[in-house]
Amino acid sequence: MDVLRLLRQMDSLDFMGYHRRNRPVDRGEAQRMDYFGDPYIDATWKANVPQGLLDRIRSWIVRTPVTEEIRPGRQVEVAPWPERIDETGAVVFRESDRPEYEKMKNETIKPDVVVFCTGYTHHYPFLGDHRYDEEYYEGKLVRKIWLRDDPSLGFIGFVRPNLGAIPPLTEFQAQLWVLNLLAPERVKRPLLPSDEPHYQLMRKNNARIRYGVDHESYAYQLALDMGSAPSFIDVLRIGFSSGNGGWYKLPLTWALSANFNTKFRLLGPWKWDGAPGVMNTELWDTVARRQIFFGHFTLSVVPMLIFGPMSFIVFLCASLYQFLRNIFRMLAPNRWKYGNNPERGSLLF
C-alpha cells in the first residue's frame, strides 16, 4: 500500500512509558520495534558510511542501527506539505528549498490515506458565557487542573510535557483532582501559585502552546501535593520490607529512573500494594540493562555533576534570602515607627 504520511509536527515520545508484552521498554529496544518510526524516517537521510573524521569517531564509539538491518526494504519517506491533489489522484507538493522537496518533487505519489496532523485548539462552547475561551483560564488553574474558585470543573490531560507522555501526567492530575474534591483534608500542602513556576516551560508571548510543563518536575509536584512522594528513609524502609532484593533494587530504581507513576504509589492516598513488586522487577530491569557509560554515566552521573552544584547554590541563596527576610520582618515595625520621628532619626533612606 502506497501510504503518504504527512507529519507536520512530531511530538516527543515517552520511551520508558511504552509497553510491549506487558513490560517497559527503553529507547534502544524501542528503536528495534515495529511501531517506532525514527530508524525508518532517518534512513533516507543517513549516509551509508561515516562522513568525516568526527563522524567516524562517533560511529566507532556508538553505532546507530541501520534500517536495512532491522527491516529490509521498509522506510518512511518524509514529504513536504501538499499544495493539492490533482485530477489523477497524485499529490502536488508545495515548492520549497528543503531537501525533502528536492527528493519528492519528481515522484508520483498517489496516496491511499492522507493523515492531517494539524493539532487542535482549546474551545469549550458547551460551558457557555465567558468560560468557552481558553484565554479565560490563563493563570487561573490550580496546578493546571481546576479553577481556584470552582474545583468541581477539572481539565484533565491538557498539559504538554517537554519529554514524556501525556497519559501518565493525566493519571496524576485525576488523582489530585479527585482527592481535593472528596477528601481535601488529605491534601498535604497548600496549593500555592508560588509552587508552580518551576515546572512551567518558558514560552514566547505569541507561542501557540502555552501549557507546556517539565514532566519530571510536574509529576513530582503533584506527588508532593498528595503526600505520595516518599522520602529517602521511606524508600529504604519499603525496599527492605519488600523482599526479592528490594533492599538495593528499589532505592536504585527510585534514584536512577524517571518519575514513573508507580514510584508514587508506594505510599499516600493512592498506595498500591503491588508497587514495590513492580519497582523490583519491571522497572528494575530498565535500570539494570543500561550500559555503564552511555546509560548510567551520561543519563545520571553527568546531570548530577552539572545540576547538583547549581541546585546547591540556589538552595544556599534561597536560604540566605529567607534568613534576611525574617530579620527584616523583625525590624520592620521599628523601621516604620521611627522612620518619621525627627528626634530618633530616620531609618528610611
Side-chain angles (χ1 to χ4, degrees):
M1 177 182 292
D2 184 14
V3 179
L4 175 64
R5 301 183 63 185
L6 302 176
L7 307 177
R8 189 171 187 180
Q9 178 179 351
M10 297 187 65
D11 293 330
S12 300
L13 298 177
D14 181 11
F15 301 104
M16 304 304 296
Y18 281 87
H19 284 68
R20 184 178 176 91
R21 296 184 298 276
N22 297 321
R23 61 182 179 83
V25 297
D26 58 17
R27 179 190 295 262
E29 185 174 357
Q31 287 180 332
R32 297 187 289 273
M33 295 183 178
D34 294 341
Y35 58 76
F36 186 66
D38 274 5
Y40 305 102
I41 294 176
D42 292 344
T44 305
W45 315 103
K46 186 182 298 182
N48 294 328
V49 295
Q51 304 294 311
L53 178 60
L54 293 179
D55 197 24
R56 291 178 182 274
I57 296 175
R58 190 272 311 158
S59 179
W60 179 75
I61 297 175
V62 55
R63 179 176 176 273
T64 56
V66 179
T67 306
E68 289 298 321
E69 299 176 0
I70 304 173
R71 291 291 185 270
R74 298 180 61 183
Q75 65 185 37
V76 176
E77 296 288 356
V78 179
W81 195 245
E83 186 73 33
R84 59 187 174 87
I85 296 180
D86 64 18
E87 59 278 0
T88 67
V91 177
V92 178
F93 296 107
R94 183 177 300 172
E95 293 187 10
S96 69
D97 56 356
R98 294 185 58 84
E100 58 265 28
Y101 174 74
E102 293 298 324
K103 179 177 177 58
M104 301 294 292
K105 65 180 181 180
N106 296 323
E107 298 284 340
T108 301
I109 304 296
K110 296 183 178 181
D112 299 291
V113 178
V114 178
V115 181
F116 290 92
C117 303
T118 56
Y120 57 90
T121 57
H122 296 167
H123 192 67
Y124 320 104
F126 52 88
L127 294 179
D129 299 331
H130 50 281
R131 292 192 172 191
Y132 72 92
D133 192 351
E134 65 172 326
E135 294 184 359
Y136 171 76
Y137 303 94
E138 185 73 24
K140 298 180 180 179
L141 295 180
V142 179
R143 302 297 191 260
K144 296 187 178 296
I145 304 174
W146 69 82
L147 287 169
R148 193 168 294 276
D149 58 351
D150 184 10
S152 64
L153 178 62
F155 295 86
I156 307 298
F158 286 93
V159 295
R160 177 74 66 84
N162 56 341
L163 290 175
I166 295 176
L169 296 184
T170 297
E171 180 179 326
F172 284 122
Q173 290 182 314
Q175 289 175 347
L176 180 59
W177 182 52
V178 171
L179 184 67
N180 183 69
L181 283 177
L182 302 183
E185 70 280 357
R186 299 195 64 179
V187 177
K188 294 299 183 180
R189 49 194 293 135
L191 304 181
L192 302 176
S194 58
D195 294 330
E196 299 177 356
H198 74 93
Y199 60 70
Q200 296 176 350
L201 298 184
M202 299 181 64
R203 65 179 188 273
K204 296 181 179 179
N205 293 332
N206 60 347
R208 180 179 66 87
I209 298 178
R210 309 176 65 83
Y211 40 89
V213 297
D214 178 80
H215 181 279
E216 300 296 278
S217 299
Y218 186 65
Y220 195 75
Q221 181 63 59
L222 299 190
L224 286 175
D225 296 335
M226 295 183 289
S228 299
S231 65
F232 180 66
I233 301 300
D234 291 327
V235 172
L236 293 179
R237 174 179 55 81
I238 297 173
F240 271 96
S241 61
S242 62
N244 193 27
W247 65 272
Y248 72 92
K249 290 181 179 179
L250 198 144
L252 287 176
T253 302
W254 172 266
L256 300 177
S257 63
N259 280 340
F260 298 110
N261 296 60
T262 311
K263 293 173 65 171
F264 304 108
R265 300 291 297 275
L266 297 171
L267 49 75
W270 302 99
K271 178 182 177 181
W272 175 43
D273 293 337
V278 174
M279 293 281 289
N280 294 336
T281 54
E282 297 182 29
L283 299 185
W284 164 253
D285 290 341
T286 66
V287 174
R289 65 169 172 249
R290 291 180 191 166
Q291 297 179 355
I292 297 299
F293 182 80
F294 290 103
H296 293 296
F297 183 78
T298 57
L299 296 179
S300 299
V301 177
V302 171
M304 291 179 185
L305 293 177
I306 296 175
F307 296 107
M310 294 174 58
S311 299
F312 183 67
I313 293 175
V314 171
F315 171 75
L316 292 179
C317 293
S319 300
L320 179 61
Y321 168 77
Q322 188 64 37
F323 174 76
L324 295 177
R325 184 180 181 184
N326 293 335
I327 296 297
F328 177 79
R329 285 180 174 178
M330 295 173 59
L331 298 177
N334 292 332
R335 175 182 178 183
W336 290 108
K337 180 178 180 180
Y338 302 124
N340 296 319
N341 188 338
E343 297 181 359
R344 298 294 302 272
S346 177
L347 296 178
L348 299 178
F349 297 94

